Amino acid sequence: REPLHFTTKEADAILNFVSLHSSKVDTIICQCDAGISRSSAVAAALSVIYNGMRSDNWIFKQYQPNMLVYNKILKRNYELL
């Protein structure tokens, strides 16, 4: 089920969690209830943030990321820079 909204608070929680642990791990696993659109959106956005533009291409070829979640995380990360 697609979220009707995805808040800045939720984006901040994801970005803060990953920021706290990114120096200690090589891989972050993203999993939502259905494991299809929200988790792939989070994974795609984090890939762009940590690995650069277009590093998320493979995700878009295999999954259907929720664009609301994807864009909100990227926008929030940009705002926090």
Side-chain angles (χ1 to χ4, degrees), residues 15-28 46 49-50:
L15 292 169
N16 288 333
F17 177 84
V18 173
S19 177
L20 286 172
H21 300 285
S22 64
S23 65
K24 302 171 197 155
V25 299
D26 293 323
T27 303
I28 294 174
L46 293 176
I49 292 166
Y50 285 92

Side-chain angles (χ1 to χ4, degrees), residues 30 36-67 69-75:
C30 301
I36 299 170
S37 64
R38 286 169 285 173
S39 55
S40 61
V42 171
L46 293 176
S47 183
V48 169
I49 292 166
Y50 285 92
N51 302 314
M53 296 298 293
R54 301 189 185 177
S55 64
D56 61 347
N57 284 350
W58 70 273
I59 296 171
F60 282 92
K61 290 178 182 177
Q62 288 186 281
Y63 303 98
Q64 297 177 341
N66 179 297
M67 295 308 292
V69 174
Y70 176 79
N71 288 323
K72 177 76 81 165
I73 292 171
L74 289 177
K75 179 181 179 201

Side-chain angles (χ1 to χ4, degrees), residues 5-16 68 72-73 75-77 79-80:
H5 59 80
F6 182 76
T7 67
T8 299
K9 185 177 178 180
E10 292 167 314
D12 285 348
I14 291 167
L15 292 169
N16 288 333
L68 172 70
K72 177 76 81 165
I73 292 171
K75 179 181 179 201
R76 189 63 182 143
N77 183 68
E79 291 170 350
L80 295 171

